[in-house]
Amino acid sequence: MARRRVLQPRGPSRNACSSRVPGSDTPIPSIEKDGPIDADDRSSARSPTPSISVDTPDNDDSSSEAPDPSFPNSSSPSPGQGDAGSIGDRLQDLRLTSPFWPGAFALDNLRAALPSAGTSSRSQTPLLLLPSASPGSSGGHRRRRSSSVNPEPYDVRQERPPQDRFHDPEFQQAFAHATSLMARLAGVLGSSTLHLEPDSTMKTLRDRADALAHFRCPPTRTVALVGDSGVGKSSLLNSLLDFRNLARTSNGGSACTCVVTEYRHHDRADFAVEVVLFTEAELTEQLRKMVQAYRHNFFYADQMSNEDRNHSADQATLACDTLKAMFADRFTTAFLENNRTRTVVETLMNWAMDLRPARYMQGNDVAESLEDCSNLLMRLTSDRGAAQGGPAAWPYIKKIRVFLNAYILSRGLVLVDLPGLRDLNSARRNITERYLLECDEIFAVCPIGRAMTDEGVKSVCDLARQTGLSNVSIICTKSDEIRVDEAQRDWEGAQARELRRLTVALATAEQDSANIRDELDDLRDLEDISEEDEILRGRLYEELERKNRDIERRKFERQRYMITTRNTLVQSNLRDLYRDTIPGGDLHVFCASNTLYWENRDLRPQHKAAPFLELSGIVTIRKHCMSLVSQRQLRIATQYLQGDIPGLLGDIELWVQTGAGTADAEKKRAVREALDRFGNSLREELVGNASPLSDLTGELTNVFREHVYQRRQIREWTEGAIQAGQVWSSRRLATYAAFCRQYGTHTTDAAGYHCWNEEAMGTINHDLADPWDRFQSNVNRQLDDATAFVSETLDRAISRNLANALQEFPEPIRPLWVALKSRKRILAGALEDLCASFSAELSKLRTDALSGLRTAYFGQSMEQAYWNANLKSGRGSWERKKAVINEALRDEQLFANMMRKLKRTFEELAAKLDTDALALVEEHLGSIDGTLDMVRSENVALESERDPEFRTRVGNEVDGLNEAMDPILAAVGHA
């Protein structure tokens, strides 16, 4: 006889949840639990079969929480579809396993039980899941019968831009419209054969229009990512660029051999890679130090203290590995051990000139695909890239530039991957330090789990303190790596209670899902399936699907709460920790998960991916990076709209008028003479002997001597350095040796943090810091006066002299006035940029002169002394180390040479500014002459007269463009 079962009314049951919901002291399984759950786990997950109601989905319990509309799979199923076919279709959309219930519900068994489901031909793309990600989020094979959601893949270009003026939609629309107008203008100017004549004015005008039609804001901001190996920089770069696996990591998760790598934009689908090699002098110095490091360890290791021996062994291993990579089978350690240092270095340098990759690294390598580019970068930056038994490329490479069409780079950003400041390779470490001084934003990258103690972050913040850099931010990676049990154990108060509430709610939902599966198992075991059982089974499937979506939502809610709560705590703690280190105290801290980003990046539809991508933090960091370029790009774009375009239109209008003019020869001659006088007068005022621009070098040098150079006190500064050295000499041998190994900047438990270079420079900083600030203020004031002089001179010349010169000839006045005003705006902006660049160079010069950085003047002067001290070992080595350092500090030439170098460098900067400023003014005076030639040149008039129909067409186009530009300029004014 067939078994029948009696259905009990469904409702709360004493054992429905009580046996599954953990108490407050029960450990909760980690949401990051990896690997399969064993048989014991599966058996313990079962519970007694609950009663179940047969209410329709429309009569679902009103007390249950509404699904989160922003969460994937939160939409409700279509009710009332109980036939076998619809059940089978819906089974295709079910997530039937989870990290907590593996194998609990087999799709094959369901298909066998429901023949109407048939064999599906849908894609079986493997599901990429975070341990804590939405279990129902698939790569694209889930489908509902009725869906209005967007099935398109995620497009990073659709992310909301930063909320600033440059990214304002009205401004961007105005900018795009203006470029399209210039493309149209270029087409009109090219509609005659005049532009085909090489020396024609129309060719120049048409080329200018074409250039404006293709105008793009140039790179203006450089953002560096710096951190120790293995912190996730490469993965972070891939996420920000939105190119999976471009910058590869090793199998162990750490970065491949690190080379400075710049990522720059180009508007093509392929990838271009440009390599910059070390110079011969740089290679020689590196080889010399590697040979000395290896030989010192080989010959003297047994005479060293334990700490010195470990440090020496690390340096020797690094040297040996690098030399093996450079020279492959040519290199043997015996060669280093059995020959003199000088002979070894000369031989290695000859090998380097023979083997270095310069012979096949000419220009850019172009890779057509992402995989090809990734493989090329791997060959360039790791030993695996070398041919079998051949030399590697990376030891010879100073910098790599990668050009690609990445959205984050499209607005003028350059992303740079840098070695850490604690890199054992001193050449690459020093490159990083110098590079950071040039960057507009610095991201110190570290794993979130050790953010408060990460030495890489500390080294970047120390650099900021020493140099006054205020553009340092921190990115904590691996923000998704958080366990429920650890969070519940570590958190207190409201945070712990909320996490417990979310965990209980999830466990309850999972228990309900398990109960439904048990009911379905019982139905499947029946020997005879009645019509009533079929209906019940359909209802159970629908309820199971709703419950699984609820589980997904609750998992995500708990994950989001844990990640955001931990992120907030870490951000607050880091800001407190480095509040007094970063100038200004405004430290940005971001948290990111590359795992969350990539495992959900390609979900379909887009709204499924959005919550996870926001939670990953990558979208926020990308938006922050793009906002860094906004101010500068706004200036460039505004100059384009308000200066370049009106200037061109004014010149074209003059070209049209010149050909259509009716003035007789006498009047034309008078116009030419008036414009000649105007041009000559303007040139004399701007670059003549009486111009403030005529001797910028002398004026700025006088200010430097008065405020800085004449205040040098070499004897007193040397005495201060000697006293600092005596303080260091009083410390224990181990501490003294440790500071020597770190080139004076180190932290120990006994001594704390010290920078010997800073301490030795205490007296010079006391004497010159304030005078330098006054000097730089004075220089900035002089530069402002020079810029104002140029702007006022042009205004006066255009507004007064031009009108006086052409008072009897009003026809060309308006377009000439417009064109020259545009020229004035462009010149004034270019001078401001030039002066701002000079001021930035002065700030870097101050860092070189007065900071204790290893690559600054004092640090470079002491570099060899630290190196020589580190080579001292054996009995009495402490005294010999002290003698080396103290002798260097006693040398009065140390500070005398520094001041001479400072003076020479400043004079070179001032002379370059002088030259660049005069060249800039001359260039723009040439452009002004070109505008004047539109009126005074006989050749221009003859050219314009040759094709009256074309001239009329151009004139009409210019009139229309002037009208079209009015609303664009209005939008620019208030965007």
Side-chain angles (χ1 to χ4, degrees):
M1 179 181 293
R3 290 188 298 146
R4 307 287 298 175
R5 62 190 298 266
V6 178
L7 301 177
Q8 300 294 334
R10 194 153 178 243
S13 171
R14 283 185 305 172
N15 56 3
C17 295
S18 59
S19 64
R20 296 296 310 281
V21 179
S24 60
D25 297 326
T26 304
I28 306 298
S30 168
I31 59 173
E32 282 77 25
K33 184 171 182 180
D34 295 324
I37 299 178
D38 59 29
D40 291 338
D41 290 333
R42 284 197 296 270
S43 63
S44 65
R46 299 296 300 267
S47 63
T49 302
S51 299
I52 187 167
S53 71
V54 292
D55 291 340
T56 65
D58 296 307
N59 296 327
D60 200 6
D61 187 355
S62 62
S63 65
S64 61
E65 295 183 27
D68 184 351
S70 67
F71 181 72
N73 297 328
S74 62
S75 56
S76 301
S78 301
Q81 299 182 17
D83 61 286
S86 63
I87 293 173
D89 263 275
R90 286 197 298 278
L91 287 177
Q92 301 293 336
D93 295 335
L94 279 177
R95 164 77 179 181
L96 300 176
T97 62
S98 81
F100 302 98
W101 305 94
F105 215 29
L107 184 58
D108 291 340
N109 293 337
L110 285 174
R111 285 176 178 158
L114 293 172
S116 60
T119 302
S120 173
S121 62
R122 296 177 184 174
S123 168
Q124 298 300 312
T125 303
L127 192 64
L128 294 177
L129 275 180
L130 263 186
S132 56
S134 167
S137 303
S138 70
H141 67 274
R142 289 184 52 125
R143 176 175 62 85
R144 295 190 182 279
R145 283 194 166 187
S146 59
S147 175
S148 60
V149 295
N150 180 10
E152 294 300 318
Y154 184 81
D155 185 357
V156 67
R157 288 169 171 78
Q158 295 182 6
E159 291 178 358
R160 291 190 62 185
Q163 301 302 301
D164 53 47
R165 190 180 177 196
F166 177 70
H167 291 96
D168 182 86
E170 186 178 9
F171 184 91
Q172 287 296 317
Q173 290 169 8
F175 184 81
H177 185 38
T179 57
S180 67
L181 292 177
M182 291 300 98
R184 192 178 82 186
L185 174 62
V188 173
L189 298 182
S191 63
S192 167
T193 59
L194 288 176
H195 78 282
L196 299 177
E197 300 174 11
D199 297 327
S200 68
T201 301
M202 182 48 61
K203 179 182 186 304
T204 301
L205 295 173
R206 196 258 181 192
D207 289 347
R208 284 172 60 189
D210 188 64
L212 293 181
H214 294 89
F215 176 81
R216 296 292 183 274
C217 291
T220 59
R221 290 293 181 267
T222 301
V223 174
L225 279 70
V226 60
D228 292 342
S229 178
V231 299
K233 283 185 301 169
S234 297
S235 299
L236 179 61
L237 274 163
N238 291 336
S239 300
L240 293 175
L241 294 168
D242 198 49
F243 281 86
R244 189 194 297 263
N245 295 329
L246 173 61
R248 291 192 187 174
T249 60
S250 68
N251 292 333
S254 61
C256 302
T257 303
C258 192
V259 173
V260 174
T261 308
E262 297 178 351
Y263 294 88
R264 295 173 173 266
H265 183 261
H266 73 187
D267 197 15
R268 305 202 311 259
D270 60 13
F271 303 80
V273 178
E274 178 183 304
V275 175
V276 179
L277 300 177
F278 285 111
T279 66
E280 291 186 25
E282 290 169 332
L283 277 177
T284 300
E285 178 62 16
Q286 291 183 50
L287 290 172
R288 183 182 67 82
K289 287 199 170 183
M290 285 189 283
V291 171
Q292 286 183 339
Y294 182 88
R295 287 170 62 84
H296 177 66
N297 181 73
F298 179 77
F299 290 113
Y300 304 107
D302 57 346
Q303 302 176 24
M304 301 178 192
S305 65
N306 289 336
E307 292 81 1
D308 278 349
R309 187 181 302 114
N310 292 336
H311 175 76
S312 180
D314 289 340
Q315 293 292 326
T317 299
L318 176 64
C320 187
D321 291 344
T322 305
L323 292 172
K324 283 181 180 177
M326 292 180 74
F327 306 119
D329 293 340
R330 291 194 190 187
F331 171 78
T332 63
T333 55
F335 174 66
L336 297 182
E337 299 160 5
N338 298 328
N339 294 277
R340 298 180 58 176
T341 298
R342 182 174 179 178
T343 302
V344 171
V345 173
E346 289 176 353
T347 302
L348 293 179
M349 194 60 202
N350 289 332
W351 292 355
M353 291 299 98
D354 181 41
L355 296 175
R356 69 176 183 161
R359 60 188 184 279
Y360 62 84
M361 288 184 180
Q362 302 297 327
N364 289 355
D365 282 323
V366 176
E368 296 297 330
S369 70
L370 173 62
E371 182 178 6
D372 289 343
C373 183
S374 180
N375 290 336
L376 174 58
L377 292 176
M378 179 65 76
R379 291 196 300 273
L380 293 175
T381 59
S382 74
D383 294 331
R384 282 176 285 173
Q388 186 69 28
W394 65 263
Y396 300 92
I397 297 175
K398 185 175 186 178
K399 181 192 300 184
I400 295 175
R401 297 188 183 100
V402 182
F403 297 86
L404 66 163
N405 191 4
Y407 174 63
I408 190 175
L409 308 178
S410 62
R411 295 290 171 82
L413 194 71
V414 177
L415 284 179
V416 188
D417 183 9
L418 291 175
L421 282 170
R422 302 190 311 133
D423 197 297
L424 287 176
N425 185 314
S426 60
R428 299 191 185 279
R429 178 232 168 265
N430 290 347
I431 289 173
T432 295
E433 185 170 285
R434 299 311 298 177
Y435 209 109
L436 292 177
L437 299 179
E438 305 286 338
C439 291
D440 299 288
E441 183 86 357
I442 301 167
F443 285 129
V445 183
C446 66
I448 197 169
R450 64 168 193 254
M452 301 300 295
T453 58
D454 188 83
E455 293 295 332
V457 172
K458 287 182 179 179
S459 63
V460 174
C461 291
D462 286 340
L463 175 73
R465 180 190 55 77
Q466 290 177 333
T467 59
L469 293 175
S470 59
N471 57 345
V472 173
S473 301
I474 297 174
I475 297 180
C476 301
T477 58
K478 305 178 183 179
S479 65
D480 61 305
E481 294 184 1
I482 179 171
R483 298 172 59 92
V484 180
D485 53 346
E486 291 178 356
Q488 282 196 314
R489 183 172 61 250
D490 296 340
W491 295 352
E492 299 176 349
Q495 294 169 343
R497 289 193 297 272
E498 177 62 13
L499 178 57
R500 187 176 299 114
R501 183 192 70 79
L502 293 171
T503 300
V504 169
L506 173 60
T508 303
E510 289 176 333
Q511 177 64 63
D512 291 344
S513 177
N515 293 341
I516 296 172
R517 284 195 293 272
D518 287 342
E519 290 288 341
L520 286 168
D521 286 344
D522 289 344
L523 283 173
R524 185 176 56 186
D525 291 340
L526 293 177
E527 297 177 5
D528 183 18
I529 303 296
S530 69
E531 181 178 351
E532 180 185 15
D533 290 337
E534 286 282 8
I535 294 173
L536 174 60
R537 183 161 61 178
R539 300 262 173 81
L540 288 173
Y541 287 148
E542 292 179 348
E543 187 164 356
L544 180 62
E545 184 178 5
R546 285 198 304 275
K547 187 57 64 177
N548 284 343
R549 289 199 304 273
D550 182 51
I551 291 172
E552 294 173 16
R553 177 175 62 85
R554 293 184 184 279
K555 284 180 181 177
F556 177 76
E557 287 176 350
R558 186 176 69 172
Q559 181 188 30
R560 180 170 57 189
Y561 180 76
M562 287 195 301
I563 290 176
T564 54
T565 300
R566 199 263 300 272
N567 288 354
T568 300
L569 290 172
V570 170
Q571 289 166 337
S572 177
N573 291 338
L574 284 172
R575 291 191 188 102
D576 290 342
L577 180 63
Y578 293 111
R579 177 176 289 111
D580 297 330
T581 303
I582 306 298
D586 185 18
L587 177 66
H588 290 98
V589 181
F590 301 93
C591 300
S593 167
N594 300 299
T595 305
L596 269 176
Y597 184 81
W598 286 113
E599 291 193 348
N600 297 278
R601 161 68 174 77
D602 296 322
L603 293 182
R604 308 289 195 278
Q606 290 189 27
H607 78 269
K608 287 186 176 182
F612 293 102
L613 299 188
E614 289 291 339
L615 186 59
S616 76
I618 298 298
V619 176
T620 301
I621 299 172
R622 190 152 50 215
K623 184 182 297 185
H624 173 78
C625 289
M626 295 182 69
S627 71
L628 297 174
V629 306
S630 296
Q631 184 175 0
R632 176 66 180 142
Q633 300 292 55
L634 177 66
R635 179 182 173 86
I636 294 173
T638 302
Q639 182 67 58
Y640 167 79
L641 296 171
Q642 296 181 342
D644 295 334
I645 292 178
L648 174 61
L649 295 180
D651 283 354
I652 296 174
E653 190 172 356
L654 287 172
W655 184 90
V656 171
Q657 286 191 5
T658 300
T662 58
D664 56 29
E666 183 65 23
K667 286 187 176 181
K668 289 181 178 180
R669 184 181 62 80
V671 168
R672 286 196 294 271
E673 291 177 352
L675 292 180
D676 285 343
R677 289 193 299 271
F678 169 78
N680 293 336
S681 173
L682 185 60
R683 182 176 296 276
E684 179 63 27
E685 287 190 73
L686 289 179
V687 297
N689 292 333
S691 169
L693 300 179
S694 62
D695 190 23
L696 273 178
T697 301
E699 293 182 17
L700 295 178
T701 300
N702 288 337
V703 176
F704 172 78
R705 287 174 177 166
E706 176 186 351
H707 287 276
V708 178
Y709 194 68
Q710 292 178 357
R711 295 175 181 268
R712 64 191 185 280
Q713 303 289 335
I714 304 300
R715 166 56 60 182
E716 287 79 357
W717 299 346
T718 304
E719 288 295 332
I722 292 173
Q723 292 174 15
Q726 290 172 349
V727 173
W728 311 336
S729 297
S730 65
R731 292 173 181 147
R732 295 186 306 110
L733 168 59
T735 302
Y736 195 92
F739 275 85
C740 287
R741 289 193 296 270
Q742 300 301 323
Y743 290 79
T745 303
H746 191 44
T747 303
T748 67
D749 293 337
Y753 171 83
H754 288 276
C755 176
W756 283 2
N757 292 347
E758 277 188 357
E759 293 168 11
M761 296 181 68
T763 307
I764 185 175
N765 268 287
H766 178 272
D767 289 347
L768 290 187
D770 289 341
W772 184 284
D773 292 340
R774 291 192 293 272
F775 152 70
Q776 187 149 1
S777 296
N778 195 313
V779 168
N780 290 338
R781 186 164 54 251
Q782 283 192 284
L783 296 180
D784 290 342
D785 290 345
T787 303
F789 164 78
V790 172
S791 184
E792 291 166 2
T793 299
L794 284 166
D795 274 336
R796 183 173 60 254
I798 295 169
S799 301
R800 300 178 188 175
N801 300 348
L802 183 64
N804 292 336
L806 299 176
Q807 55 185 340
E808 297 181 13
F809 314 103
E811 293 174 353
I813 284 290
R814 195 198 74 81
L816 192 57
W817 185 87
V818 170
L820 292 178
K821 279 287 186 180
S822 299
R823 294 290 185 190
K824 171 256 177 181
R825 180 190 294 272
I826 296 171
L827 173 56
L831 271 177
E832 288 176 6
D833 290 344
L834 186 62
C835 293
S837 177
F838 179 79
S839 183
E841 290 296 325
L842 274 191
S843 295
K844 285 184 280 189
L845 187 59
R846 184 190 196 280
T847 295
D848 279 335
L850 301 181
S851 80
L853 294 184
R854 185 170 166 182
T855 56
Y857 290 167
F858 188 89
Q860 285 294 287
S861 298
M862 292 293 295
E863 179 88 1
Q864 192 62 45
Y866 287 123
W867 176 266
N868 291 338
N870 289 328
L871 295 180
K872 304 302 179 184
S873 57
R875 186 183 300 275
S877 61
W878 185 20
E879 292 300 327
R880 294 199 299 275
K881 289 177 187 290
K882 289 192 298 182
V884 169
I885 299 298
N886 290 335
E887 181 180 357
L889 295 175
R890 283 194 297 269
D891 185 1
E892 291 190 3
Q893 289 304 305
L894 190 156
F895 287 107
N897 290 337
M898 281 177 53
M899 292 303 292
R900 282 193 291 268
K901 184 175 182 180
L902 175 62
K903 178 177 177 291
R904 183 172 62 252
T905 304
F906 175 78
E907 289 174 348
E908 290 171 353
L909 287 175
K912 184 177 185 302
L913 174 67
D914 197 333
T915 301
D916 291 347
L918 286 175
L920 187 65
V921 173
E922 285 285 0
E923 176 189 349
H924 285 272
L925 284 174
S927 298
I928 290 173
D929 282 340
T931 296
L932 297 178
D933 283 343
M934 295 293 177
V935 179
R936 65 187 178 185
S937 172
E938 191 66 30
N939 290 334
V940 173
L942 291 175
E943 179 184 309
S944 182
E945 291 169 356
R946 282 170 53 187
D947 190 342
E949 181 182 352
F950 172 65
R951 186 179 67 245
T952 301
R953 189 162 64 249
V954 171
N956 292 336
E957 180 67 15
V958 171
D959 290 341
L961 289 178
N962 278 320
E963 291 183 10
M965 285 298 297
D966 288 340
I968 291 177
L969 294 175
V972 173
H974 67 267

